[in-house]
Amino acid sequence: MRTDGWLGVELRHLAALQAVAEEGSFGRAAEHLGYTQSAVSQQIQALERIVGQRLVERPGGPRRVSLTEAGELLLRHAEGIVARLQAAQADLAAFAEGSAGTLRVGTYQSVGARVLPRLLREFTDAWPSVSVQLTEWSDDGHLLQLVERGELDFSFVMLPVEEGPFEPVELMLDPHVLVVPADSELARRPKPPSLREVAGMPLIGNRLCRSVHQVETRLRDAGAEPQIVFRSDDNGTIQGLVAAGVGVALVPLLTVDTGHEGTAVLSLADVPPRRIGIAWHRDRYRSPAARAFVDLARDVCARVEAEQSGREAVAAA
């Protein structure tokens, strides 16, 4: 069956058919649509010519206009088409208001495990029409490249960020801690070891975490070469190896499962914390949903930081 002629069907033709069916007269259909009666009649006639079927029974006089069987059949499709258009209109209106669309967010392992679950749950509750697409990478430098290329709207980062067209905001401070085997002598000490002592211990390091490498540089600057026995990008692997007695790990607290039975977490007062932030391209538009996501990220991270401070106090006691 050739359908070329059907390409002439316009939405106004289907809307006229729907209005005539609902109102039962051309006059009331015209009032409903804001057209003249003759305009509605012309649209119905044009639709009948295109589909090659009589769609409306025209009894004349005061009697109610009704659809033919062919008209009823086409009406079912017309209602679906009009409804889809109305839905599209609503979606675009929501998008224009910033309450719908997609946010593309870069993240890394520790934030993904400790911050994002709570953040996404609360954000979805507040912005149900906005979807969040996540991209995880071990190196936040790569995530910033994606932000610069426009492939991400913003990304969680470690501060300070590298040079570029980025606008960052600090979210939280993440203290560095020493993770040791739970049954070790270190776990029973009244005070944690000094950094010089830590440097002489077998250390399990993170491969890409910039803040860990900065702490290692701090040790070297103090004249103590860290004894790295293994590096990994996986936080669970690092903690599991500590539990197995392979070594200890000097890592940010956010990377640690504090409920792990095989390890103990010791506070280190003389090591600066890791600064966690979120960054976006300074020259690109941020929708209301994007701004709300950043604001909520600050709130959630403040709560996580407060919870971590409580754990640090317990670890130091």
Side-chain angles (χ1 to χ4, degrees):
M1 182 181 68
R2 290 183 59 83
T3 59
D4 295 1
W6 280 69
L7 296 178
V9 174
E10 299 179 15
L11 184 64
R12 61 194 179 100
H13 298 150
L14 301 178
L17 181 69
Q18 188 177 24
V20 168
E22 291 174 354
E23 302 295 339
S25 79
F26 285 96
R28 287 194 296 273
E31 292 176 6
H32 176 79
L33 295 171
Y35 295 160
T36 64
Q37 182 171 333
S38 62
V40 172
S41 179
Q42 290 170 9
Q43 288 165 15
I44 295 297
Q45 290 172 10
L47 183 59
E48 289 177 326
R49 286 195 302 272
I50 292 169
V51 303
Q53 297 282 345
R54 186 162 56 89
L55 303 174
V56 177
E57 296 285 5
R58 301 169 175 81
R63 287 179 295 175
R64 181 180 178 86
V65 172
S66 62
L67 300 189
T68 64
E69 187 175 355
E72 293 286 356
L73 178 62
L74 183 58
L75 177 64
R76 290 198 292 272
H77 294 283
E79 289 173 337
I81 293 169
V82 172
R84 289 295 297 271
L85 185 73
Q86 290 170 339
Q89 183 182 21
D91 284 349
L92 285 175
F95 179 78
E97 295 169 0
S99 60
T102 300
L103 293 180
R104 302 161 301 165
V105 182
T107 186
Y108 44 87
Q109 191 179 163
S110 57
V111 169
R114 304 287 181 253
V115 175
L116 275 179
R118 187 186 306 187
L119 174 58
L120 291 181
R121 183 171 59 250
E122 295 184 19
F123 181 79
T124 300
D125 287 344
W127 297 79
S129 297
V130 177
S131 64
V132 179
Q133 294 180 355
L134 299 175
T135 297
E136 184 180 86
W137 208 267
S138 299
D139 179 11
D140 64 342
H142 177 77
L143 293 171
L144 283 171
Q145 291 175 10
L146 298 180
V147 171
E148 186 169 8
R149 295 202 300 260
E151 296 177 34
L152 292 176
D153 295 307
F154 37 73
S155 178
F156 288 93
V157 294
M158 285 178 278
L159 301 177
V161 299
E162 62 188 51
E163 288 296 323
F166 309 116
E167 186 173 341
V169 62
E170 186 171 296
L171 298 177
M172 64 179 290
L173 298 178
D174 185 22
H176 288 89
V177 295
L178 187 67
V179 184
V180 303
D183 58 358
S184 68
E185 179 270 335
L186 288 169
R188 295 189 293 272
R189 280 193 187 184
K191 291 184 178 181
S194 67
L195 275 184
R196 183 169 290 277
E197 287 181 277
V198 171
M201 300 174 185
L203 283 174
I204 302 167
N206 189 287
R207 193 188 309 273
L208 292 174
C209 180
R210 281 192 290 119
S211 71
V212 169
H213 287 286
Q214 288 166 1
V215 173
E216 292 174 7
T217 299
R218 185 185 179 97
L219 290 172
R220 293 187 182 94
D221 291 343
E225 181 64 31
Q227 306 301 306
I228 308 296
V229 297
F230 185 75
R231 289 193 187 276
S232 174
D233 296 330
D234 184 80
N235 297 330
T237 297
I238 292 173
Q239 194 162 359
L241 291 175
V242 171
V246 176
V248 299
L250 204 167
V251 292
L253 180 55
L254 206 60
T255 69
V256 180
D257 175 6
T258 55
H260 194 290
E261 294 182 354
T263 58
V265 180
L266 309 182
S267 177
L268 296 173
D270 51 351
V271 181
R274 176 173 68 158
R275 295 167 58 210
I276 293 177
I278 195 167
W280 56 91
H281 197 296
R282 69 167 67 97
D283 298 326
R284 292 199 178 96
Y285 170 73
R286 281 192 301 147
S287 69
R291 293 194 293 271
F293 187 93
V294 172
D295 289 342
L296 184 57
R298 297 176 80 164
D299 179 63
V300 169
C301 284
R303 282 179 269 153
V304 171
E305 184 176 354
E307 293 166 4
Q308 290 199 150
S309 296
R311 293 193 192 102
E312 264 206 298
V314 171

